[in-house]
């Protein structure tokens, strides 16, 4: 449909596509991002409902009416009204899906109206919400998206090829985007459980799987489940289209600190390729156990880390830096200790001195013991503290296990 033509021509075209079950074309004709929305003939009337009703079949007439009313509100820059009309449009599509008992050709239309709903909701929330009401419109949008999700999840009658369950992941991805935006990540859990238990979880389009694993990986990271986060985000990065540089960069923004927490440092060329050099000085500081250097990097790139929501994750890299620093002290002690039998027994003061040299200038012996105890508790170091002799006694074998070891927990 072009930017010219009468309302009657538009209605006839949409109805013909609807009657012939051409879901993809129908979705374009009812999209807020299609060129037909620029045709003012479609939304100029003061009584769109009267002109549409009776000229096409139900429930298509209600879908067209609510769509054109939304377009009209967008022209007027009334984004709250546009959101309300698009919510009505989604509700009409829900009725359409419920009426289509054993077919799923309406899924592309559902995808389109739900995506448009989220985008309009973001715009409406941005221009109208106060600090007290921010996120409310997006919460309402999530309710509409959930209505579509329930229809898809409950479709047990159709064959595998025609089931609406194939539309679940698209909706879950929309909901994940909303929940992350309004900081309601805890609401993602039942959605993730529904997808992970779905027999179609490996049959969804790869682009949808990439988006899903990106968000689930981020959630795992915030839950301190770094191994799961690594698995999900690595899948997302490797399967993301090679030309989607911005998306790959977005994934790496979370995958890099997760890998670092697991002891895997990124190559400089990778960070250069995806313009993530904010991490490079951090990599050097963590390797060296340079706590002062980490503080400097975090201060210099404070806005980047906070905007990405990874500031606290980067802060946890100090644990790895301390581990690397303690390891250097132990290696040095073995080299200078004349009595090999005592090379695994290191005076706490030596660790205290190393911490002070690397940025923790006011740390005392008691705090040093607490740091060592913390590393031991989480299996980052194997050993024990001899309080009587003020020594850290490390294991003679594998005192510093690989950070990727499943015995290690980083909190």
């Amino acid at each position: 449909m072009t930017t010219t033509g009468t309302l009657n021509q538009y209605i006839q075209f949409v109805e013909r596509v609807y009657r012939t079950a051409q879901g993809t074309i129908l979705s374009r004709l009812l999209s807020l991002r299609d060129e037909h929305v620029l045709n003012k003939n479609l939304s100029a009337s003061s009584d769109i409902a009267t002109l549409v009703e009776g000229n096409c079949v139900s429930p298509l007439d209600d879908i067209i009416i609510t769509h054109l009313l939304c377009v009209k509100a967008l022209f007027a820059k009334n984004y709250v009204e546009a959101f309300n009309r698009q919510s009505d449009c989604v509700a009409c599509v829900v009725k359409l899906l419920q009426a289509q008992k054993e077919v799923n050709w309406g899924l592309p239309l559902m995808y389109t109206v739900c995506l448009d709903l989220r985008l309009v909701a973001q715009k409406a929330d941005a221009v109208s919400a106060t600090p007290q009401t921010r996120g409310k419109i997006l919460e309402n949008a999530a309710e509409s998206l959930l209505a579509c999700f329930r229809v898809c999840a409950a479709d047990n009658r159709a064959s595998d090829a025609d089931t609406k369950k194939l539309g679940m992941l698209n909706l879950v991805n929309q909901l994940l985007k909303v929940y992350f935006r309004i900081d309601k990540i805890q609401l993602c859990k039942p959605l993730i459980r529904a997808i992970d238990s779905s027999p179609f979880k490996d049959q969804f389009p790869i682009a949808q799987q990439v988006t899903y694993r990106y968000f689930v990986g981020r959630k795992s990271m915030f839950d301190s489940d770094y191994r799961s986060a690594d698995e999900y985000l690595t899948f997302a990065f490797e399967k993301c289209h090679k030309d989607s540089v911005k998306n790959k960069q977005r994934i790496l923004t979370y995958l890099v600190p997760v890998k670092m927490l697991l002891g895997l440092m990124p190559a400089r060329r990778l960070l250069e390729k995806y313009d993530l050099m904010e991490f490079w000085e951090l990599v050097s500081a963590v390797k060296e156990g340079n706590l002062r250097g980490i503080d400097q990097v975090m201060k210099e790139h404070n806005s980047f880390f906070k905007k990405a929501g990874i500031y606290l994750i980067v802060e946890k890299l100090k644990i790895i830096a301390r581990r690397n620093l303690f390891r250097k002290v132990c290696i040095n002690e073995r080299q200078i200790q004349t009595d090999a039998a005592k090379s695994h027994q290191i005076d706490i003061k030596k660790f205290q001195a190393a911490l002070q040299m690397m940025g923790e200038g006011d740390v005392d012996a008691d705090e040093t013991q607490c740091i060592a105890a913390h590393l031991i508790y989480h299996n980052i170091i194997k050993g024990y503290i001899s309080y009587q002799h003020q020594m850290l006694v490390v294991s003679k074998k594998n005192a510093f296990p690989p950070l990727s070891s499943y015995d290690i927990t980083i909190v």
Side-chain angles (χ1 to χ4, degrees):
M1 191 73 185
T2 65
T3 55
T4 61
T6 67
L7 177 58
N8 278 336
Q9 288 174 327
Y10 171 75
I11 294 170
Q12 290 171 11
F13 187 25
V14 174
E15 185 170 25
R16 184 164 64 251
V17 170
Y18 173 79
R19 289 184 181 277
T20 53
Q22 299 181 69
T24 301
I25 299 176
L26 182 64
S27 70
R28 180 170 59 81
L29 293 172
L30 292 163
S31 169
L32 297 176
R33 291 158 287 121
D34 187 65
E35 63 176 4
H36 77 270
V37 302
L38 301 176
N39 182 0
K40 293 188 177 181
N41 293 333
L42 303 184
S43 57
S45 172
S46 59
D47 193 1
I48 292 173
T50 300
L51 293 173
V52 175
E53 286 175 350
N55 286 328
C56 67
V57 296
S58 179
L60 183 62
D61 54 353
D62 289 333
I63 296 174
I64 293 175
I65 291 168
T66 52
H67 170 67
L68 295 180
L69 288 173
C70 181
V71 172
K72 188 173 184 177
L74 289 173
F75 269 119
K77 298 189 183 303
N78 187 342
Y79 297 111
V80 174
E81 174 67 12
F83 168 73
N84 291 332
R85 299 288 73 80
Q86 188 64 17
S87 295
D88 293 339
C89 185
V90 171
C92 293
V93 171
V94 169
K95 293 179 181 178
L96 172 66
L97 294 171
Q98 290 172 330
Q100 295 179 336
K101 298 297 183 183
E102 297 181 359
V103 293
N104 65 3
W105 62 262
L107 289 180
L109 174 61
M110 181 192 72
Y111 300 154
T112 293
V113 297
C114 287
L115 172 57
D116 285 343
L117 177 69
R118 180 176 63 81
L119 296 177
V120 172
Q122 289 176 189
K123 187 71 172 179
D125 194 69
V127 300
S128 65
T130 64
Q132 293 75 26
T133 63
R134 191 162 304 282
K136 281 294 181 183
I137 291 177
L138 282 162
E139 284 187 39
N140 293 336
E143 287 300 316
S144 295
L145 295 173
L146 281 170
C148 289
F149 177 79
R150 293 186 191 103
V151 172
C152 293
D155 186 10
N156 295 315
R157 296 178 57 180
S159 65
D160 285 356
D162 295 320
T163 181
K164 297 181 188 67
K165 288 186 175 182
L166 294 172
M168 289 170 60
L169 187 56
N170 182 286
L171 292 168
V172 166
N173 286 339
Q174 296 295 337
L175 284 161
L176 291 175
K177 290 177 182 180
V178 171
Y179 291 148
F180 268 78
R181 194 178 188 92
I182 62 176
D183 293 325
K184 294 284 182 76
I185 301 177
Q186 71 276 10
L187 298 178
C188 300
K189 193 171 182 179
L191 300 174
I192 294 170
R193 190 162 53 242
I195 295 301
D196 288 348
S197 63
S198 170
F200 303 102
K201 66 179 181 180
D202 297 323
Q203 299 177 35
F204 295 115
I206 192 65
Q208 292 183 22
Q209 292 189 48
V210 166
T211 300
Y212 174 72
R213 283 173 168 80
Y214 164 71
F215 281 105
V216 178
R218 286 179 61 186
K219 182 181 182 300
S220 297
M221 182 186 74
F222 294 132
D223 290 341
S224 299
D225 185 356
Y226 301 115
R227 289 180 184 85
S228 292
D230 179 29
E231 179 183 345
Y232 285 118
L233 291 169
T234 298
F235 178 98
F237 181 74
E238 291 178 348
K239 299 297 182 181
C240 184
H241 195 282
K242 61 182 177 65
D243 295 332
S244 300
V245 177
K246 280 292 181 184
N247 287 341
K248 280 183 169 283
Q249 181 195 56
R250 194 173 290 117
I251 296 166
L252 278 177
T253 301
Y254 302 98
L255 181 56
V256 166
V258 166
K259 289 282 191 186
M260 290 176 70
L261 283 167
L262 297 176
L264 300 171
M265 303 298 161
R268 184 186 179 97
R269 65 180 179 276
L270 179 72
L271 299 178
E272 288 177 339
K273 180 178 180 180
Y274 292 101
D275 193 22
L276 290 171
M277 289 302 291
E278 293 90 346
F279 287 109
W280 181 243
E281 291 179 12
L282 191 64
V283 169
S284 301
V286 171
K287 282 182 177 179
E288 295 168 5
N290 187 349
L291 300 161
R292 185 184 296 108
I294 294 175
D295 286 335
Q296 290 172 346
V297 172
M298 292 179 71
K299 183 178 181 180
E300 182 179 351
H301 302 295
N302 179 66
S303 59
F304 169 76
F305 294 131
K306 285 187 175 179
K307 185 178 179 181
I310 58 174
Y311 188 88
L312 295 179
I313 302 298
V314 172
E315 179 81 25
K316 289 184 178 181
L317 287 170
K318 288 184 176 180
I319 299 171
I320 310 305
R322 291 189 184 103
R323 177 257 190 197
N324 292 341
L325 183 60
F326 276 44
R327 183 171 180 271
K328 283 187 174 184
V329 172
C330 289
I331 291 173
N332 184 64
E333 186 66 17
R334 288 197 188 100
Q335 292 173 343
I336 65 174
Q337 178 59 257
T338 55
D339 186 351
K342 294 183 178 180
S343 63
H344 63 293
Q345 303 171 9
I346 304 103
D347 193 324
I348 284 293
K349 289 182 179 179
K350 294 190 177 182
F351 296 105
Q352 180 185 351
L355 288 168
Q356 290 173 340
M357 186 182 301
M358 286 300 183
E360 298 193 342
D362 58 349
V363 68
D364 59 23
D366 288 339
E367 288 176 294
T368 303
Q369 289 183 30
C370 287
I371 291 171
H374 181 262
L375 296 175
I376 292 169
Y377 177 77
H378 291 288
N379 296 316
I380 294 172
I381 295 177
K382 289 186 177 180
Y384 64 91
I385 298 171
S386 172
Y387 292 99
Q388 181 180 358
H389 299 98
Q390 290 291 290
M391 286 187 173
L392 173 61
V393 183
V394 298
S395 173
K396 292 181 179 179
K397 182 179 180 181
N398 199 24
F400 295 85
L403 292 169
S404 57
S405 168
Y406 276 85
D407 292 333
I408 290 176
T409 57
I410 299 170
V411 295

